Amino acid sequence: MKQELKSFGEIALSRKLLQAIEDMGFEEPSPIQAGTIPLALEGHDVVGQAQTGTGKTAAFGIPTVEKVRESYRRIQALILTPTRELAIQTAEELNKIGKYKRVRTLPIYGGQSIERQIRALARGVHIIVGTPGRLIDHLHRGTISLEDVATLVLDEADEMLDMGFIADIEEIMGAITCEERQTLLFSATMPAPIEKLSSRYMHHPERVSITKENLTVPLIDQFYYETRDKLEGLCRVLDIEETGKLIIFCRTKRAVDELAGALDTRGYSAGALHGDLSQVQRDRVMKKFRDGRIDILIATDVAARGIDIDDISHVINYDIPQDHESYVHRIGRTGRAGRKGVAMTFIWPREYRQLRLIMKLAHTKIQRRELPTASDVLERQKELIKERLLKVLKQDRYDDYHTLISDIVDEGYDPMEVAAAALLLSLEGSGESREEEQETFGNTGGAPGMVRFFFNIGRSQKIRPADIVRAIASEADIPGDTIGVINIYDKFSFVEVPENVAERVLSAMHRNTVNGFKVNVEPARRK
Ligand code: AMP
């Protein structure tokens, strides 16, 4: 089900929440939000099929915060999430949503001192975001009371199921005694145990999933880059790629402004376009872009809707689109009127699944591309300098500098050396680049430069090394021969993969299948 909501203002939300959403830079509800928020506000139980990147956190966060009575300092909502990272991120997002309403959200997860959590709880919180294991701990100690919980959210339910939390979840659900409890469940997939959970514990749930429409994907080259430093990656691409007019899409107004500022600092001139600008400001930016005084336009989806320009050579998704429809709309701005177009999408490693889903639903292939290295950029700059130099030589406009050079040559320098030094001078300061930061998995017992993963399948499932190589190569889209040592035991296996693709292999393979067997994958412990 999908509702055609164009703005958050059309939803019955309090002013305080609308202001907070405005501050977060959201221009309009994402499809999963448009589907979920009104139903949840009406009090329905909702089962939402969505994953990271779709805006699902705010989809349950907004109605949950809206429902809280801030003057009543008791735990009124509980959100269960599979991992500590997600608990922290979710709590951060809810704290932003509840900023003006003064609704406090606390993350509760294993690994953090329980005493510290007890002290934080004692200060009074309205919403808890927790991992099941640690919550059970608190329940058993009597340090958390769920008697006032009126909203329960299960986030990434399939993930929690795979991590073996089902019994914990059922125990927690059993401990929520409020008769009017509202339950919201989010999951990327809907395996049988999740369906069972929802029919057992939820009250006539409404289902929301992102609609599948028949979309025509334009015939243009589509690539994606996976990186932990998008800004650096984007700059390298801008330096090396031959582009004409290009549009860069960001998810929020704030992100548009930040990127415009960051590009400006690095010497690229770009125009920003979003809903907070006046019509006059917009017209001014658009005129510059149309006239070619700026080549880069940074925009939100909403702001870009009105743009009607035919000669866009590149569309860059600096933030991954929230669904496949948005992907198709965005990239459809290039490759018009018979021209060639290129679409590039930047993703964080954990967004790989969302990218796969977009490819699947839009029936399109987005090819992986490696970012240009710092030396590629340098090479390109040399080529450009050569081109410009030849142009200057042809124009014969350099008389003023003759004396300078002949002075230097008189001092005993070879003219070749002088020319090379002049080039070095013109390149200086632009060739340096930071090494890309890699998240480390710590010591997983792999060879140098490799990360070793634990797979919970082995000989008992008749798994052979070739099966693992094939699965990883196709799912994570990496060459099979880069996969390192594979050790297969009866019930599990160890697989080494290069560090730079480790995050992606993890996100692509975890909860995926090999030869039809479901796998859980984790970084291995050191030997
Ligand atoms: P999620 O799918 O919840 O992990 O959200 C992905 C990202 O999208 C987060 O950075 C959110 O802050 C952002 N986001 C969520 N809803 C919207 C919206 N309506 N407009 C723009 N950005 C959003």
Side-chain angles (χ1 to χ4, degrees), residues 20 131 351 358-359 452 508 512:
T131 51
E351 289 170 335
I358 289 175
M359 287 195 249
R452 198 167 66 114
N512 211 322

Side-chain angles (χ1 to χ4, degrees), residues 8 26 28 30 33 52-57 93 251-252 322:
F8 283 103
F26 298 179
E28 62 170 14
S30 70
Q33 291 163 359
T52 303
T54 54
K56 69 176 167 64
T57 313
E93 184 131 333
R251 204 173 279 146
T252 63
Q322 279 162 331

Side-chain angles (χ1 to χ4, degrees), residues 266-416:
R266 288 178 171 229
Y268 305 85
S269 62
L273 201 67
H274 57 63
D276 281 354
L277 303 178
S278 68
Q279 194 58 45
V280 176
Q281 286 171 312
R282 281 184 205 215
D283 291 347
R284 198 177 300 144
V285 174
M286 283 312 297
K287 184 156 184 357
K288 275 195 192 170
F289 187 55
R290 228 180 271 275
D291 298 350
R293 277 176 290 150
I294 47 171
D295 289 331
I296 307 174
L297 189 69
I298 309 172
T300 56
D301 292 275
V302 178
R305 241 167 242 160
I307 300 179
D308 184 24
I309 295 187
D310 273 343
D311 56 342
I312 308 273
S313 75
H314 287 65
V315 165
I316 298 184
N317 296 312
Y318 192 67
D319 285 324
I320 190 167
Q322 279 162 331
D323 69 349
H324 61 294
E325 282 180 55
S326 152
Y327 178 78
V328 174
H329 285 149
R330 285 181 179 189
I331 70 170
R333 315 221 149 252
T334 178
R336 288 192 179 175
R339 291 192 176 81
K340 238 174 94 84
V342 180
M344 299 172 168
T345 302
F346 281 81
I347 61 164
W348 306 113
R350 69 185 165 83
E351 289 170 335
Y352 182 68
R353 272 174 179 265
Q354 167 74 355
L355 185 85
R356 295 270 303 197
L357 187 71
I358 289 175
M359 287 195 249
K360 193 168 143 220
L361 295 182
H363 305 292
T364 188
K365 171 101 180 113
I366 309 172
Q367 279 170 356
R368 180 184 169 82
R369 237 201 210 175
E370 296 308 322
L371 280 168
T373 61
S375 64
D376 291 338
V377 173
L378 201 62
E379 271 315 303
R380 175 75 188 139
Q381 278 170 338
K382 284 185 187 161
E383 275 173 31
L384 285 176
I385 290 217
K386 187 175 162 193
E387 280 170 24
R388 274 191 253 143
L389 205 59
L390 288 172
K391 208 163 146 194
V392 174
L393 282 169
K394 279 195 194 113
Q395 289 172 343
D396 199 10
R397 290 194 293 125
Y398 42 84
D399 276 358
D400 290 355
Y401 297 96
H402 264 153
T403 19
L404 177 64
I405 301 296
S406 60
D407 283 354
I408 300 176
V409 172
D410 285 348
E411 282 175 32
Y413 289 96
D414 179 75
M416 283 277 281

